[in-house]
Structure formats: structure tokens, C-alpha cells
């Protein structure tokens, strides 16, 4: 896998001279198109094919530069983590309801993307701001544990949920745990991951914690990890879209192939009949 | 990278007993959700994170099984190939026009997905059927070159374009060439790739070929490669969506960050000002 | 209500001279915009306000000319007929699922529009082609009753539903009956309405008609009425969108106002608690 | 046109007994569906057809009750006012770009709906809140003119536009003028319309008013009128969607019928070639 290194060569002679834009022209820094030539952030797409993984290409197009190997590994895990969550999320149900009407697959997928609302995917951005507030207190001199206690108290006082915590179904989100573990092992843990752990400790120490668990959820974990990687909130939110679109495709396709049109979709009345639980085969490496 | 092998162990005791669905239940084979457990096509998602690449996870969720290493490499190149094509495709312009209105990023992306119409992305499915028709003649006993000539003659006679051939901008599509090269090197070339090459030879031999090139375009290449990998037309079409969504995110984000709201977007009046052409760094391996 | 009459005055001096378009210009015949002047199909929009009903304005923008009074009345009834059909249509469920995710109202409505698929709203266009086929036989010399019997037999033989007939819930669609009654009273009944009635008679005379009713449904009625009014299939389909959008708005709004976010929406578990059945007040005229 | 009157008869025997919902049931107050019976807010839809105008039916489904005659007239003018604004709004361009890709008409329309962002249509809601702030000051004892001056000064000081004022193209919006005239004539002018006029006077008296006009725009006028009619901000915003969808249909259809697929749509290079300016025919009444 090619990676940026310190010894990267200087720009070659093939470098295109940046021409001065005319006053009425607008600018884009994403992809340069010329006859028989397509370059994404400067790299020829045909050179990227087979040499860059898809997740590295996604990172490149969003951030403008290639990830380092460890960042690339963590980023890829982020995209894998959200790929699907079964039939009950509202985005999946929106996609399936559109599919049952006989609409084309891309209409179902678009409808699913529209179902990533404030309470579903949108929590990534909200959680980034929440962590930012706590870290602001730290920068003003507070100890991290005190800053965490303060922002939690504010949520509890105003009876609002702590963004990035709690889940409809899980009391411990396996995706969040794995992301934190990877960030730690890859030495990519930063102040946001450390702060979300502080906040989690505060929540676990609540008097009523035993009656209702408030674990870090996957949105919270991705918010923390993405913030440590330097993602802007708008783009961190978009990671949810990029990651989940394949899941929406799979559900839309399954609805079209397996079910009768115009059925009434009750999210509760379903049963999983796919492959039983299994382990990944050992790596051939 | 873990891969299926012939020596894959039998299902373990952890295997969940498939229960008999009640009559009013509907079924899904994609993802099994239980408290603190998420399994995609049987594999725990937290085990997939860090061990499966995102493109392998996409393949898994669409097809139900992991790709072999060579299929995984080719599939990843397919996803990379379509990641973006600059500011002029109608899907990108739809996304940017929604962004300039001040709508949220996911509205822009959904609008872009809706812009993958019959003439833009939809060509993958059409080309698969076109190749299928030519291969049908071969199965009836025709020589491949004759079958190719026949389906081309039919297009020219009815004055319709050959699906998967020709491009607004490119006379030789670098993405198509690279995909065919990879399919060949990975020994994944099948009857669809061979047939699209036959058809390409027929088109190049047209009397007026010098005045108007009709190269295999990336839709055609993906149609042929996906068909050889066993993808259904509906899902092959969806590869365009999955691959291009990151590009739509990048354009929507750039529009929001760099431009004034409510501007009139003229696709012709733009200039690229991103990084100059550059080579991928050598792989560290 | 102003209406076109035979004595319409000649174009006034205010008439803008149509200028010859330059070669690179594209043309629109819908709305002319100039500073402080907006004219829809030639009529100043501020003059239309208060003088044209909304449905007449819709007719004008779709067809280019004002309806006659009787056409305007029938067209208005078409738009009213489809305004809503409760919570169970897939388009409404798509909209509500997007709303429960916390997405903005316009995302819910767009998602609902995407849920007007082939089996839900798309039947209008299919039914227009079905009626056209039967009328083609009549033009070739068949008696209408025979043409009707022939196209029905073809459906039954191929085990496909007759487009425009049958309903999930209704055995006699009150909206279809009312539309036909109005078309008759307004003397706007044409060959399409007459043909759909022929077809309906054939279906009612089936041996198994008593066990499964196949009444003309509202899609069929609108297909027949719109075709007699000269609507193209594409625009007839669009009448469903225009008419139902207010219903989608009402459902999206109700979901946001009455329900908790992120709920699981089961279409079967609902109860109506709005105003009891009531009569329209007598007209004051 | 039937209207609510004081002498409305008591509920008839046909009134359905409201049954007590079971605990797991959710509730809707919009439309009651039973076999062969559809009632919107209690009124049978087949009785509404031909007796209620489409705009009265829209009002009914959004608000739950029929409008009085004068409210119905003003509401109808609101819907007519926004029906179209030519080819340059971003929502229209999003719809046309989706149409040129060969996507179905409903995908174009949905894309247009998504293009009603914060700066385009979304201003209605923002302006309602802006007027509400000024009226809050009045309720605290300020004179209306002083309250208006105060909120304008706040905008100018923070260099933000006054919501509901100014237009890309018009220096005096004919739609706003007509709406205010109608509200006045129908005696439906309330505190919001009076306040927006106060604010307009303040803006016209700015020192630099001659160099850059800031007229009330149509969003502002609709915000004021809708607020006086008691619409919630969310629903007032939705009036833009309901009104403009027919325009989006007309543009999507024109794009499909008149233009070649996959064209590059430059919003500036267009010319109007529809009917010349004309007067509405005199009413036959």
C-alpha cells in the first residue's frame, strides 16, 4: 500500500502550471478532468485503482491528502463499523417502504440517506460539539474529570440526553469498544477520546446507572475518533452516510427480491434467517 | 487480510439455532441484532473492524459471502474507479445546487444519488443486458465476433448508442483500460469482458471510427467485470452509488465551505486549483 | 373566476417582442422573470393571485393555457381526490420514518415523493397505456365491448393485474365513482372514460367476480379522466405527486408534533382519533 | 363553496364512536380509512370533490378545519404566489439536473424539494421568528416603530440580512405587494403584517437605501400573512413546498421534453420563448 513518507519526491515536471482563474470562474480542488485524464486530489485515478484501498481513496477525497498507514487502518474501521444495523433504524425502514412501492433502487437509497436525522447519525456532529465544550473548560484550566462532570451535570439538569451516549438496544456497544481499542493500539488516541472516556466514567458513577446504562454509543465513538483525526463536524457526519449506503443498498435489494410489493412493513415482526454466527477465517498472511 | 479457504472450519457451537418463523413474520438475511451483538452476514461487526477492508465489507453485505483475495482486489478497484468525475456530471450539479440553497449535507447527497439516471450510471445495467444479448447468440452457436457484429449493427441500424461505449470527454477511458488489465492479471476475465472487447473491436473498425471514437467507457467496463463476478444488474448499478457517494460528499462540502450561498452554478465556468498532478508514493511494503 | 373566452383581446402593446435566441441559449416557456415582473405562461403572477384558484394555476403551469370552467372544476376534483389516504401507503410510511429520525420536514416530504413507485401512483401511467391499447383495437375496427374483453383476457391469461383495477382496502372506490359522475355531468366524458367502464363491466362479469371484486380504483379513474383531458402520461402521473404532497406534509408534521423521536412505526397498530364523520356545511352561495 | 357557519348542525348519527385506543396503538387525526370510505379531518373525500377547492382542501388537511371564505381566498393567493420563479432558483436547477440524467420525474421533483434550503424557502420560518422577536418587544411595552428600529439595528450591527427582506432580482416584489393588499381588503391584516410594514419603513429610511433596495420579499410577506392566520413556522415553511411542486413538475417535464439528455445546464444562458405578456380574461361572473 503506498503511503506518504518524509522522503516524498518533489513535484515532477509533469506538474501542471496553476493558471490564474478569470474573474468569473469558480474553483474546485477535488478532481481535475481533461480528455483521457482523471486526477483525484492530484493522483491519476487509474493509478489509484489496485494500489489504494477504497477507504484510503475516501479519506483522500474528503481530506485532500492520503492517510498515514495507521490513520488509514483506523479510518477503515470507522467505515466498517456503521455499515449496517439491521432492519429497525428509521433510515432502513424509509428505504424499504420506498422499495415496496416499486420505486427504483436509487430512490430507496436516497430516501434512506434522508432518514439520517438529528437523532440518527446526526448525533456525531452534536457529540463533537459536546466534547469540544468539555475540552474548552480544560483549556480554561479545569481538570478533565471536573470538566466531564460539569458537562454531564448540565445535561442532567436540563433533562437532555448526553450526545453520544445510550442506545435503544445495546448496553455496551461493541463497535465503540473496538474503535477505542484500535485508537489506543495505533497510538491515535487524542484528547477527544480521552475526554469521552472521562465522561463515560462520570455517567457510570451516576446513582441510577445500574437501572439504565448509558454506554458510549457508536456515534459517540466515531465523533471522538474523527475529532482526534481532525475531521470537521460536517464531514464526520458524512462518514455515517458513506458507511451506511452499502447497507441501504442491501436492504433495498432484499426488499425487492424477497418480498411482495405494497406490503405493510412492521419493524417488529421480523426474524433473521441469514448465515449463523461465524468467525472470520484466519488471515492468509 | 482474512479470506475464505477450503479448510474453513465447520460451524461452531456458537451457531444460533435457526428458529421457525411464525407465519406473520418476515425475514432478513443481512444483519442480526441482539443486545451488544451485531453480526453482518454472520460475522460480528467488531471482529470485522480492523480485519476486513471496507470494500471487502461492502462485498460481503451485498453478496452474502467474503470475496476471495483476487476478487476483493478487483472489486476494490471498481469502487475506486468511480469515486469522482469532477464538477460537470448532472448528479454533482444537483448536489451542488441543493448545497447552495443552504440545505443540510445529507439533502445534497440524496439529491446527487437521485441524479444517477438512465444516461448517467444507469448505463451499467443497460450494458449488462446488451452483453447478455450478444452472449445469448454465442450460446445459440454464433462465433463471438459475429455475435458482436450483429448487436452493433442493430444499434447502428436503429440509431441508438451502444450501451457502455462512448464518452462526453474521453476518447480512451483510462479507468476502463485499467479494469480490464487488472481483470486479466488477476485471472478474473470472463465471457462478458471478452465479449465487450469483441464489440469494441467491431466499433473501432467502423468506417467513421476515426472521426468519432467510441471507446469502452467506465460504465461498460464495470458492467462487464461485474457480470463476470456474478453481480445482478440491480446491484451492479448500485456500485455506482456506493462508489460515488464519497465524491458527492466532497463536492457538497466544498460548495458549502468555499462558495457564497444562492449562487448561480455554471458548470462550464470553473477551474481546478487543487494539488498538481502527482504520483502515488511507493508502497512501504 | 376569469376564463378564456372567444372574445379574448389581441395581445396588447405590453407584449414583449420575442427576441431571437443566440445559438448557445436554451429556452423555457414556463415563467418569464424580469426585475419586479413575474409572468407564468404570460400571465403576471400578481394578477393571478386572488383571481385564479390554485388548481387553475396548476393547470395553467402544466398545460400552458387556462382551463375552461368545466375542465377547471373536474381538474380541481382530481387534485382533491388524492390528497390523502391515511397512514398505511408506503409513501406516507417513508415520510414518517424520515420524520421520526429528526430530519427536517422537507426531507420527509421528499422521501414520500420517492415512494410513489410503480405500484403506488405509477399505476396512472400504466393504466393510460392499457386504455390506449384497447382504444387502438377500436380504431382498427373492433367493437368497444370486444376490445375491452380482449385486453382483459390478455391480463388474465398472463396472470397480471389489470392496471387501474382493484384496491387493497376498497371494493368500490368512492373517489372513482365521484370522478366519473362529475365527468358525466360536466360533459367531459370521452373515449377513455367510456372504455374503462367497458373494461369494468367485463371484470364484473368474471365467474369469480363475487369472490374478489376488481373495482376501478382512483388511479384508473384519474388515468381515464386525464387522458380525456389530453394529459400526457408523464404529467398525469405527476398529478398524484401534486395532490398528495399536502397529505405528506400533514403526516410529517403530525409525526413530529405528536410522537417521540426514533419510534418503531408499525402501520397496523394505529387508531384514528380526529374529528368524527361530518357533512360539509351548505354552500353560502 | 360550502363554508363553516355558526349554524352548523350537530354531529349526525353517522358519527363514529371514538373507541379507546389500546396501549400499544398510536394515533392519527388526519384521515380515517375504512372499506369504501375515506374521510379527511372527518369529511368524506368524495363529498369534498367538486365542492371544495383544492386550496381549501389543503388548508383543511393542514389545519384540521375549513377556512372561512376570506381566509380561503387569502390562503389560495399564498399558494398561487409561489408557484414558480423561472429557471434560476437552485431548487429548479437541482430538479433539471436530475431530469437531464434520465431519472424519473418523481426523482427530479424530490430533488427540487430538497433544494428548499435555509436561504431559499427556509426564510419563511426565519422571518416568522424575526417578526416574533419584534412583537415580543411590543408586548414588553415598546412602541411598534421603536421595536422595528431595534431589530433592524441588531441585523445591521451584526451584518446579517434582515429575514424576509431583499431579493436577488426584484427591487419591489409584486407578490408581496399583492398579498398585503389582499390581506388589507379581506380584513385579515394582523400584528405580523403591521410589524413587517414597520420594519420595511425603517429599512427604506436607511441612509444607503437608494443604493441598495431591501424590499419585503415574498418569503417575508408569506411569513407575516401566515403568522396572522395562525400557522406554525414548520407548516408555513411547508407552504413553499406545496406551492412550488407544480412548478418543479413543469420544469422537470419541460427539461425531459425539450432538451437533450446529459446537457450542461448554465442558468444564465437561457431565454424565455413562451406566450407573450397577456391579461387574464374578464371573469364570466
Amino acid at each position: 500500500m503506498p503511503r506518504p513518507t518524509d522522503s516524498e519526491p518533489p513535484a515532477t515536471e509533469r506538474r501542471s502550471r496553476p493558471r490564474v482563474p478569470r474573474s468569473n470562474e469558480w474553483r474546485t480542488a477535488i478532481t481535475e478532468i481533461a480528455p483521457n485524464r482523471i486526477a483525484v486530489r492530484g493522483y491519476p485515478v487509474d493509478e489509484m485503482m489496485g494500489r489504494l484501498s477504497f477507504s484510503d481513496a475516501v479519506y483522500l477525497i474528503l481530506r485532500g491528502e492520503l492517510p498515514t498507514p495507521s490513520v488509514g487502518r483506523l479510518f477503515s474501521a470507522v467505515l466498517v463499523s456503521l455499515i449496517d444495523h439491521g432492519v429497525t433504524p428509521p433510515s432502513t425502514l424509509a428505504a424499504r417502504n420506498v422499495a415496496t412501492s416499486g420505486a427504483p433502487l436509487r430512490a430507496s437509497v436516497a430516501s434512506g440517506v434522508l432518514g439520517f436525522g438529528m437523532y440518527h447519525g446526526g448525533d456525531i456532529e452534536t457529540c463533537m460539539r459536546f466534547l469540544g465544550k468539555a475540552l474548552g473548560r480544560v483549556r480554561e484550566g479545569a481538570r478533565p474529570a471536573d470538566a466531564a462532570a460539569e458537562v454531564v451535570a448540565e445535561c442532567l439538569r436540563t433533562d437532555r440526553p448526553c450526545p453520544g451516549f445510550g442506545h435503544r438496544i445495546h448496553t455496551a456497544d461493541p463497535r465503540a469498544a473496538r474503535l477505542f481499542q484500535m485508537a489506543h493500539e495505533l497510538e491515535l488516541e487524542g484528547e477527544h477520546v480521552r475526554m469521552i472516556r472521562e465522561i463515560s466514567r462520570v455517567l457510570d458513577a451516576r446513582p441510577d446507572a445500574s437501572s439504565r446504562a448509558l454506554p458510549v454509543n457508536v456515534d459517540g465513538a466515531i465523533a471522538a475518533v474523527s475529532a482526534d483525526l481532525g475531521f470537521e463536524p460536517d464531514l464526520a457526519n458524512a462518514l455515517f452516510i458513506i458507511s451506511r449506503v452499502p447497507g441501504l443498498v442491501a436492504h433495498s435489494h432484499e426488499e425487492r427480491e424477497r418480498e411482495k410489493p405494497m406490503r405493510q412493513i412492521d419493524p417488529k415482526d421480523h426474524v433473521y434467517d441469514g448465515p449463523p454466527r461465524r468467525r472470520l477465517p484466519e488471515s492468509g498472511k
Side-chain angles (χ1 to χ4, degrees), chain A:
Chain A
M1 189 78 47
R3 299 291 176 184
T5 62
D6 291 347
S7 59
E8 199 166 340
T12 70
E13 294 89 311
R14 290 173 56 232
R15 175 177 181 153
S16 49
R17 195 102 45 90
R19 71 179 170 78
V20 181
R22 290 190 303 274
S23 62
N24 63 333
E25 281 177 332
W26 55 282
R27 300 160 199 200
T28 181
I30 301 171
T31 300
E32 188 178 20
I33 304 291
N36 307 338
R37 244 179 48 181
I38 301 160
V40 173
R41 304 289 190 184
Y43 297 111
V45 79
D46 44 319
E47 222 174 270
M48 289 163 61
M49 292 163 66
R51 297 188 64 209
L52 278 192
S53 70
F54 184 48
S55 60
D56 279 0
V58 171
Y59 187 96
L60 170 67
I61 204 166
L62 297 184
R63 306 293 300 270
E65 295 298 332
L66 292 169
T68 64
S70 55
V71 167
R73 269 197 83 197
L74 187 58
F75 184 69
S76 166
V78 165
L79 294 183
V80 169
S81 70
L82 289 168
I83 196 164
D84 197 48
H85 198 268
V87 302
T88 63
S91 52
T92 307
L93 289 165
R96 279 188 176 263
N97 272 293
V98 168
T100 198
S101 81
L105 192 131
R106 63 182 70 91
S108 308
V109 173
S111 176
V113 169
L114 294 173
F116 299 142
M118 202 198 318
Y119 306 109
H120 173 42
D123 225 21
I124 294 176
E125 187 168 345
T126 324
C127 181
M128 279 173 95
R129 300 192 195 288
F130 180 62
L131 298 175
K133 192 160 67 175
L135 289 169
R137 309 259 158 105
V138 172
R139 257 170 243 116
E140 289 158 20
R143 286 187 19 226
D146 294 342
E150 212 178 313
V151 296
V152 167
E154 203 175 304
C155 283
L156 299 178
R157 193 169 54 239
T158 56
D159 205 27
R160 279 175 308 128
C162 287
F165 289 85
H167 197 280
R168 281 186 298 135
I169 296 173
H170 309 302
T171 55
D173 194 315
R175 300 165 296 179
R178 178 79 176 117
L179 268 186
F180 291 153
Q181 179 202 0
M182 284 185 69
H184 184 75
E185 287 174 7
L186 294 164
E187 298 181 20
L188 290 167
E189 207 179 66
E191 57 178 5
H192 295 86
V193 168
R194 281 191 298 268
M195 178 51 74
I196 206 168
R197 285 179 153 163
E198 289 285 359
I199 294 172
S200 193
R201 271 189 287 271
V202 172
L203 285 166
D204 288 349
R206 283 173 311 147
D208 62 340
S210 60
S211 64
R212 177 146 190 255
L214 283 176
V216 180
N217 58 35
V218 70
D219 288 7
I222 286 175
V225 162
S226 310
D228 281 344
L229 295 181
F231 275 86
E232 295 167 72
D234 208 33
L235 283 181
N237 246 346
L239 299 184
F240 197 103
I241 305 177
I242 294 169
S243 169
R244 185 59 60 86
V245 158
L248 293 172
V249 167
H251 284 283
S252 303
H253 185 67
E254 190 183 63
E255 182 67 34
R256 291 152 68 90
E257 295 295 312
R258 278 191 104 169
E259 302 291 339
K260 282 203 216 145
M262 294 302 285
R263 75 182 178 104
Q264 297 278 299
I265 303 175
D266 176 356
K268 295 185 297 295
D269 277 352
H270 75 278
V271 62
Y272 172 79
D273 71 347
R277 296 273 282 186
R278 48 185 173 171
R279 308 295 308 262
L280 284 175
E282 287 307 307
S283 165
K285 286 196 241 183

